[in-house]
Amino acid sequence: MSPPAVLVGVDIVESGRLARAADRGGELLARHVATAAERRTGAGRVAFSVKESLIKAVGGRPPGFTWHDFEAVATPPAAWTMPLLDEAADELTASTGLPLTGGTAYAVRGASAGAALLRLSPGARGTVEAAARWGEGGGVLVSLAIVYAGAPAAQGKER
């Protein structure tokens, strides 16, 4: 059985650019980009880059998009995603020289979930989930995300 379809997004941004945006936008920018739960965990500027990679994976900002369509969650991603994410992260590390050592799972909701489902399998229903890895060094922040359809809402989660 082949693994389910996934969407992939990558973001590479200059660290100084993120720092300047954070300085200018302050708390207003933080509230705009990160959910309250993410702000409590100190997601900070990493949240912006990771969410940019998630946006790229779902195909852009669909009508009705908000940054809160994506939220870091404590629940681990589906087990089958980890080897795939590790392989993609290794390839990105090889091309950038930057190890992607951070990572977390994301819930994908709202307009972005709808856009992801359309791209993954038109007419599909269910949850949309994601996993991301990131690394920072040499003046850049690199993030990688995969987005995939989870279990149909009526069936619950199977991990």
Side-chain angles (χ1 to χ4, degrees), residues 13-39:
V13 65
E14 179 193 358
S15 298
R17 179 175 170 229
L18 287 177
R20 288 187 301 276
D23 288 345
R24 282 191 314 270
E27 183 59 29
L28 181 62
L29 178 63
R31 283 195 317 265
H32 183 68
V33 172
T35 66
E38 290 171 323
R39 290 191 309 274

Side-chain angles (χ1 to χ4, degrees), residues 11 17 46 79 86 157:
D11 187 62
R17 179 175 170 229
V46 168
D86 289 344
K157 304 231 185 233

Side-chain angles (χ1 to χ4, degrees), residues 2-108:
S2 62
V6 298
L7 304 170
V8 179
V10 173
D11 187 62
I12 301 174
V13 65
E14 179 193 358
S15 298
R17 179 175 170 229
L18 287 177
R20 288 187 301 276
D23 288 345
R24 282 191 314 270
E27 183 59 29
L28 181 62
L29 178 63
R31 283 195 317 265
H32 183 68
V33 172
T35 66
E38 290 171 323
R39 290 191 309 274
R40 284 192 296 276
T41 64
R45 61 197 177 136
V46 168
F48 181 84
S49 180
V50 170
K51 289 184 181 191
E52 278 290 328
S53 65
L54 289 161
I55 290 165
K56 291 171 183 173
V58 303
R61 294 177 175 99
F65 164 84
T66 77
W67 288 88
H68 294 191
D69 283 357
F70 308 104
E71 182 173 33
V73 294
T75 308
W80 64 265
T81 65
M82 296 317 294
L84 180 63
L85 190 61
D86 289 344
E87 182 180 343
D90 288 347
E91 289 180 21
L92 193 53
T93 294
S95 62
T96 64
L98 187 62
L100 306 184
T101 56
T104 195
Y106 277 79
V108 183

